Amino acid sequence: MLIITCPWCGARDESEFICGGPEKPPRPENASDLSDGDWIDYLIVSPNPTGWLAEKWWHANGCGRWFTLERHTVTHEVRPFSGDDVSGEAVSGEGKHASHP
Amino acid sequence: MQRYSLFSLARNALTSHRNWQAAWRSPPLRDHYDVIIIGAGGHGLATAYYLAKNHGITNVAVLERGWLGGGNIARNTVTIRANYLRDESLPFFVKSVQLYEGLGRDLNYNIMFSQRSMIDVVQTYPKMRDLKRRMLAMDIYGSTYEPISVAELRRRIPSLTGGGPDSRLPIIGGMVHPNAGVARHDAIAWGLARGADDYGVEMHQNTPVEKLLRRSDGSIAGVATPRGDVFADRVAVVVSGHTTTLTETIGLRLPLRTYNLSAFVSEPVQPFIDVVVNCPDSGFYLSQSDKGELVIGGATDPQQSFRRGIKESVFEETVSGMLELFPSFKRLKLLRQWGGSLDFAHDASPIVSKCDVPGLYLSCGWWGGFKAVPAGGLTLAHLIATDQPHPLIESFSLDRFNRLDYVIESGLTSTR
């Protein structure tokens, strides 16, 4: 069982939350200009790292807030989301969406 | 190959079983093969076996990260069934069950296939409608589903004492799938490996593939391993949950997410359940192994995971669902639990396909892939040998996503 820190309520038991899946890049503003391949890539391809993954969580049985945190897909360790860049690229030094150990 | 029979058993008994041959060789790793198959699981070994048997391609290396038969082939709940709905998937799984029926004889290996039927315990009307709809579709393709009454359900599964009229979800009926059964998972891996080895295929254990190698023209060149680079014009990735881990090494993005699916077994008890029991509305299924253990499975973890373990919340949910229908199981001790990594395609159907990298073949997205082992191997071998998809897997190509032409299948355990 994970202990998840809701930005509003603080540390709570995982059973109060529903996982909303991995954080995806923002919706392209120029969707109509994209090639079919890029658009379909945006629609269906999600990050699937063996490592840290930015994830959306919903405090469904609590305050109802949606927020983003980072969870390690091998150890299930949880830590606060380290940035607002969700382009899927690694940020400053340590890989946010993580490499393959 | 040393054939197994009652006579060979008797003959070797006379010499205190000292003269059995190894079931497969352990030759040195060469640096070039015609085909490399990454992953000596059920699908990888079946692919190697059918490549050699049906297509005469024997210069093949199967590379395995751990030991042969130690991956998901040893981490499933050994259920074999074909109760699907869609025209795309039904013929494939019907074929797979048919291949299982002849596989033991074909391999000269006892795979302990026991076609004991699966019984669905239905507790909601939407599920009953879904299963009756599947029954009609299955009729078309020669697979069978038969509705039975609650009384008949309780007669066939006497330990099913919960789910009465006053319970939260009363049982409203059952469906029997007589084509379903179980087989011995190790025997599948070992029998296929022995069969492939007999044709000259090489199995290399403890040979993890670290990355894929491409030529300057973009086509596949081979793989990098700690034992050195190995080259081949055709490489098949048959690694279940770690497909994206490998394909990302050459920048190939796939619509897959990896989840952990867990299972557990009870202590061995006297035989008392002679069918596979599936309770889709309560979220679990079970069968009794030849050793007497109850093999119990439930839902996947609710988040992506590469950890092969059991998640407490999933375990609790599975057990509480089971105890509502089988209250007497409260007294069973649970012995072992385990998990396996599965990759889940965007539409939850498998992918057996070529891709943008010439020479690279993918078999992934299997969700309950144990039942698909023979047909998955048969069709992937056909794809590798001819570069054309086998008719049974034309719908499971990767480019279906480019057309947003999903195969939405309700026969999956994940659909509840």
Side-chain angles (χ1 to χ4, degrees), chain B residues 4 49-50 73 78 80 96-116 181-195 290 370-371 373-374:
Chain B
Y4 297 154
Y49 175 70
Y50 287 112
I73 187 74
V78 299
I80 295 161
S96 205
V97 171
Q98 286 167 356
L99 287 171
Y100 262 121
E101 288 167 357
L103 195 62
R105 191 171 297 267
D106 197 18
L107 295 172
N108 176 233
Y109 204 96
N110 182 8
I111 61 164
M112 299 166 80
F113 183 51
S114 159
Q115 214 158 11
R116 57 179 64 174
V182 295
R184 175 76 197 169
H185 52 88
D186 295 320
I188 307 287
W190 297 336
L192 285 168
R194 174 170 167 267
D290 293 338
F370 181 74
K371 70 178 90 64
V373 160

Side-chain angles (χ1 to χ4, degrees), chain B residues 6 17 37 81 89 114 130 171 184-185 267 278 325 332 337 339 365 374 382 409:
Chain B
L6 190 59
H17 298 291
I37 295 169
R81 59 183 176 87
S89 35
S114 159
D130 167 42
I171 298 171
R184 175 76 197 169
H185 52 88
E267 61 185 324
N278 180 37
L325 291 183
L332 280 177
Q337 75 281 330
H382 182 278
E409 173 56 69

Side-chain angles (χ1 to χ4, degrees), chain B residues 286-352:
Chain B
L286 56 89
S287 61
Q288 192 173 17
S289 75
D290 293 338
K291 284 185 283 185
E293 300 164 333
L294 280 185
V295 183
I296 303 156
T300 58
D301 288 6
Q303 313 96 23
Q304 276 160 271
S305 172
F306 284 86
R307 185 165 73 172
R308 292 162 157 188
I310 195 160
K311 193 173 168 68
E312 294 85 344
S313 53
V314 174
F315 174 70
E316 279 181 23
E317 205 173 294
T318 309
V319 169
S320 62
M322 179 175 78
L323 292 184
E324 278 187 37
L325 291 183
F326 294 91
S328 61
F329 290 5
K330 233 174 248 175
R331 298 173 62 192
L332 280 177
K333 294 181 183 69
L334 297 176
L335 285 192
R336 297 189 304 280
Q337 75 281 330
W338 66 90
S341 306
L342 307 177
D343 45 8
F344 199 31
H346 187 67
D347 62 356
S349 285
I351 298 170
V352 184

Side-chain angles (χ1 to χ4, degrees), chain B residues 6 25 30-31 96 111 207 215 232-233 259 356 370 374 383:
Chain B
L6 190 59
R25 302 157 297 145
R30 289 180 279 134
D31 63 359
S96 205
I111 61 164
T207 310
R215 296 199 189 88
D233 291 339
Y259 287 81
D356 291 342
F370 181 74
L383 180 66

Side-chain angles (χ1 to χ4, degrees), chain B residues 13 55 84 91 93 115-116 133-134 137-138 176 178 235 249 273 278 281 310 317 352 395 412:
Chain B
H55 304 282
Y84 283 72
F93 287 102
Q115 214 158 11
R116 57 179 64 174
R133 187 172 168 219
R134 279 200 233 167
M138 285 158 64
V176 181
V235 174
T249 62
I273 290 187
N278 180 37
D281 295 310
I310 195 160
E317 205 173 294
V352 184
S395 309
L412 296 152

